[in-house]
């Protein structure tokens, strides 16, 4: 059973301070970290760290950040044969600020990620036609994403879309090519006009999203857990109690965990709970891809809950 990820690869520069800066303010931080990031790379690292055979499809620039990103993906166990070097664009970067409560804001420079096109999909045909689960996000162009989804779905793969970051015109987004969609609160509001602050509002938003194609909607509610919805039923997935240090990539670790669980044949409810444990554990560590938990850590949290 394999997982394929088409998505972004960034190098993250993260500053940690007591609070987030105000517009125009210079604020002294306690420390900073550099490391692998990008929603695609984070999800691939999360799945691979759990033990999944994971292939990545993407691009980096011909620069130090690009070489470092590929090396770090490989250290996580991600197969990088379909990560190409783009001679005309730099590797993507993300500039991240994190406060004492683990909240963050992020500025992304897409670089080579936005140069991904149909040639990348053609070059990864062998991967897309044999994968069990395909993970997608929205830090790469839409046309190659759809092409990848169609090719993998035609061969029986489950297609999971993390609609992040959701575009401003998200309410008009065609979601008919995806089996599972996993928006967070902000993305759900952009896609539906409904802010999911509790189970009833999450259910209402999910109902709208079902009409647009996906059979499974999982609304990620942060510290309030998640809401799992199918056309027949809905269920609140309670949160795990952890001491959060850094919420960067929590959603990505959720998706990597979900892909792992589904590729192992788990039913939806236990898979969503497994994914929630992955997301929660990632907040107890600093960094993005580096915060992804191991299978033994997830099993330990599940056994204690």
């Amino acid at each position: 059973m394999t997982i394929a990820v088409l998505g972004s690869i960034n190098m993250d520069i993260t500053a940690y301070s007591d609070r987030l800066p105000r517009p125009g303010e210079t604020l002294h931080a306690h420390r900073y970290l550099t490391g692998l990031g990008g929603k695609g790379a984070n999800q691939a690292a999360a799945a691979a760290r759990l033990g999944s055979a994971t292939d990545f499809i993407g691009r980096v620039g011909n620069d130090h950040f690009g070489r470092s990103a590929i090396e770090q993906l490989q250290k996580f166990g991600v197969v990088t044969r379909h990560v190409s070097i783009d001679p005309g664009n730099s590797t993507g970067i993300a500039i991240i600020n994190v406060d004492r409560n683990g909240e963050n804001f992020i500025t992304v420079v897409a670089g080579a990620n936005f140069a991904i096109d149909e040639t990348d999909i053609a070059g990864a045909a062998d991967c897309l036609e044999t994968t069990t689960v395909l993970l997608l996000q929205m830090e790469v162009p839409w046309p190659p994403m759809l092409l990848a989804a169609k090719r993998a779905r035609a061969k029986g793969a489950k297609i999971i879309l993390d609609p992040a970051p959701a575009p401003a015109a998200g309410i008009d987004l065609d979601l008919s090519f995806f089996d599972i969609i996993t928006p967070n609160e902000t993305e759900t509001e952009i896609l539906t006009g409904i802010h999911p602050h509790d189970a009833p509002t999450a259910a209402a938003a999910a109902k709208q999203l079902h009409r647009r194609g996906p059979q499974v909607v999982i609304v990620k509610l942060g510290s309030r857990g998640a809401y799992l919805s199918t056309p027949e039923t809905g269920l609140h997935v309670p949160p795990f109690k952890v001491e959060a240090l850094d919420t960067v990539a929590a959603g990505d670790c959720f998706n990597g965990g979900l892909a792992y669980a589904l590729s192992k044949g788990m039913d939806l409810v236990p898979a969503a709970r497994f994914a929630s444990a992955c997301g929660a554990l990632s907040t107890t560590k600093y960094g993005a891809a580096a915060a992804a938990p191991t299978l033994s850590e997830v099993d330990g949290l599940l056994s204690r809950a």
Side-chain angles (χ1 to χ4, degrees), residues 163-185:
I171 205 162
D172 298 320
L173 208 58
D174 182 0
L175 303 175
S176 61
F177 299 98
F178 312 106
D179 300 298
I180 302 172
I181 184 171
T182 63
N184 67 14
E185 296 159 279

Side-chain angles (χ1 to χ4, degrees), residues 62-84:
N62 185 20
D63 49 38
H64 171 73
F65 280 164
R67 291 185 289 274
S68 177
I70 290 174
E71 289 173 4
Q72 291 185 55
L73 281 167
Q74 292 170 346
K75 286 179 181 177
F76 281 112
V78 177
V79 177
T80 60
R81 61 199 170 112
H82 296 306
V83 176
S84 60

Side-chain angles (χ1 to χ4, degrees), residues 3 9 19 39 58 93 117 125 128 153 157 160 198 266 295 303:
I3 293 171
I9 303 173
R19 60 178 176 81
K39 294 184 182 299
I93 64 167
D117 61 23
L128 291 169
R153 203 180 200 190
I160 302 176
D198 55 16
M266 285 190 201
L295 182 58
S303 68

Side-chain angles (χ1 to χ4, degrees), residues 4-12 35-45 55-61 69-70 73 78 82-84 90-94 106 108-116 135-141 144-145 162 164-165 252 288-289:
V5 183
L6 167 64
S8 57
I9 303 173
N10 292 334
M11 288 301 292
D12 288 353
L36 181 65
K39 294 184 182 299
N42 294 340
Q43 292 183 12
D55 278 273
F56 197 93
I57 306 164
R59 290 194 191 195
V60 296
I70 290 174
L73 281 167
V78 177
H82 296 306
V83 176
S84 60
S90 60
T91 301
I93 64 167
I106 304 172
V108 175
V109 183
N113 295 311
F114 269 15
I116 290 173
L135 276 170
L136 302 167
Q137 328 77 39
M138 299 189 68
E139 290 185 330
V140 301
M145 274 181 47
D162 185 356
D252 298 329

Side-chain angles (χ1 to χ4, degrees), residues 87-112:
N89 293 281
S90 60
T91 301
I93 64 167
I95 302 167
I96 306 169
N97 289 269
V98 180
D99 70 11
R100 70 167 74 89
N101 298 314
E103 295 301 323
N104 65 81
F105 66 72
I106 304 172
T107 302
V108 175
V109 183

Side-chain angles (χ1 to χ4, degrees), residues 1-3 43-55 75-79 256-257 259-261 263-264 274 278 292-299:
M1 300 296 186
T2 62
I3 293 171
Q43 292 183 12
R49 182 167 269 185
L50 291 167
S52 290
T54 306
D55 278 273
K75 286 179 181 177
F76 281 112
V78 177
V79 177
Y260 170 87
S263 75
K264 296 299 180 183
F274 183 94
C278 292
T294 63
L295 182 58
S296 62
E297 289 172 329
V298 178
D299 287 341

Side-chain angles (χ1 to χ4, degrees), residues 18-43:
D18 285 338
R19 60 178 176 81
L20 299 176
R22 303 183 185 95
E25 180 183 21
T26 298
L27 191 67
H28 286 285
H30 304 309
R31 63 196 184 95
Y32 76 95
L33 294 175
T34 60
L36 181 65
K39 294 184 182 299
N42 294 340
Q43 292 183 12

